Structures are given as structure tokens and as C-alpha cells.
Amino acid sequence: MESKRAIFLERLAEGRTIASACTAAGVGRTTVYAWREADTVFADAWDAAIEAGDDVIEDEIRRRAIEGVERKVFYQGEHIDTVRDYSDAMLALLAKARMPHRYRERYDVNQTIDVRIDHAAELLAARKRAGLVIDAPSAPEAALAASLSQGLDDARARAGLQQASEGTDDELVDPFD
């Protein structure tokens, strides 16, 4: 009879999840993690099994994307044909994994961050000019606020922009009021 450790490792190497491998071996997750912690040979075998399982999964992704999967076509309960379906989604996953320099998701968050910092600084300045009560910031917060304010002033100066006029404060909307 195979040992529970061997069954667990075989199932991982098949590409199954840790939970599924535990069920097949008849052990709990806590048990296998205790084995992993106590036994470096088992931990190395676990890592190798995960890598082998990753290969199984990648091969299946490739098969569905490039070779396709046969599907029987029925009409009025009778098998009339067989067609091969290909998965564009699997092909996209494969392309992202193998060629991330071409197909990775690209996000530009700098613009959003800059706009929000600028809006927050303007909002804070408008609240101060309006005489609204603002909690006194801690020393580090005050230093950060001063640095941000100075940075915004410097950026406006370099861009040739003027400071907001007194009349523009009414246009600022405080989302917390």
C-alpha cells in the first residue's frame, strides 16, 4: 500500500490542488504542512511535484489552445458530426505566460495618483482659506503636507501656471462633506 505522503505528492505532480491531493491521500492540510516543516526531503519533493504539476497544467492549456478539443455535434439526439474547438482564452493565457514582454497587462497609475494628490492639496488649501476646522496634523504629516505643497507650487512654476485665484475655491467639491 502506498504511503499517504507518496499519494499526496503524486496528486500534486498531476496538477491537482493541495486540498485535492490531501483528500486523495486521506490527510488534512495541517498534517501535510507539518510534514513539510519537519522534513526537508519531503519539502523538496513537494516543490518538485508542484513544478511537475505546473507543467501538466501548461501542457493542457497548450493542447486546448493550439491542438483544440474534439466535440461531438448532435441533432435531434443523433450524433451527426465531430468538430474541433480551440480556446482563444487559453491561447491568451499561454501568450501572457511565455511572452510577458509583449502581452502583459499594462497600467499607468502615475497620472491618477498625481491628480488625486493635486486635488487633495487644493481641497485642503480651500478648506483652510474658508476657515473650516482641520485637525492639527502630526509633525511627520505636516512635513509631508508642506513638501507636497511646495512640490505642487514648483511644478506649477515650471509649467508656467499661476496659483489658483481666490474665486476658484467655490468650484472645489469636498467629497467628505
Side-chain angles (χ1 to χ4, degrees):
M1 178 178 200
E2 278 187 286
S3 77
K4 292 182 178 201
R5 289 182 186 210
I7 294 170
F8 173 79
L9 293 171
E10 285 173 9
R11 296 310 178 269
L12 280 183
E14 293 171 357
R16 294 174 80 178
T17 64
I18 292 171
S20 176
C22 286
T23 300
V27 296
R29 290 175 66 97
T30 306
T31 301
V32 295
Y33 280 104
W35 292 343
R36 180 179 175 86
E37 185 70 28
D39 183 352
T40 59
V41 173
F42 179 75
D44 291 343
W46 178 324
D47 292 341
I50 290 287
E51 192 169 322
D54 290 350
D55 289 343
V56 169
I57 292 167
E58 188 172 357
D59 286 345
E60 182 63 14
I61 290 171
R62 184 193 178 288
R63 184 184 74 81
R64 291 180 187 204
I66 296 171
E67 297 169 19
V69 177
E70 285 191 354
R71 178 178 54 87
K72 293 180 180 180
V73 178
F74 293 87
Y75 178 73
Q76 294 183 344
E78 186 178 326
H79 175 243
I80 60 167
D81 199 4
T82 301
V83 296
R84 186 169 295 275
D85 289 331
Y86 299 90
S87 174
D88 292 341
M90 294 292 115
L91 186 58
L93 281 175
L94 190 60
K96 287 177 182 181
R98 296 189 62 137
M99 298 172 280
H101 57 285
R102 292 186 199 162
Y103 296 106
R104 72 173 171 256
E105 303 293 334
R106 292 179 179 89
Y107 300 100
D108 181 13
V109 296
N110 292 329
Q111 184 177 15
T112 302
I113 291 171
D114 292 343
V115 169
R116 290 182 180 171
I117 289 172
D118 184 43
H119 178 70
E122 290 291 334
L123 184 60
L124 182 60
R127 293 186 88 177
K128 283 182 181 177
R129 285 192 294 274
L132 296 174
V133 177
I134 300 171
D135 292 336
S138 66
E141 290 171 336
L144 177 61
S147 173
L148 285 173
S149 180
Q150 184 61 50
L152 288 170
D153 290 345
D154 292 345
R156 285 188 187 102
R158 283 192 303 274
L161 301 173
Q162 296 179 350
Q163 293 290 344
S165 66
E166 291 297 321
T168 61
D169 291 344
D170 295 336
E171 297 172 16
L172 294 174
V173 177
D174 187 344
F176 302 108
D177 281 344

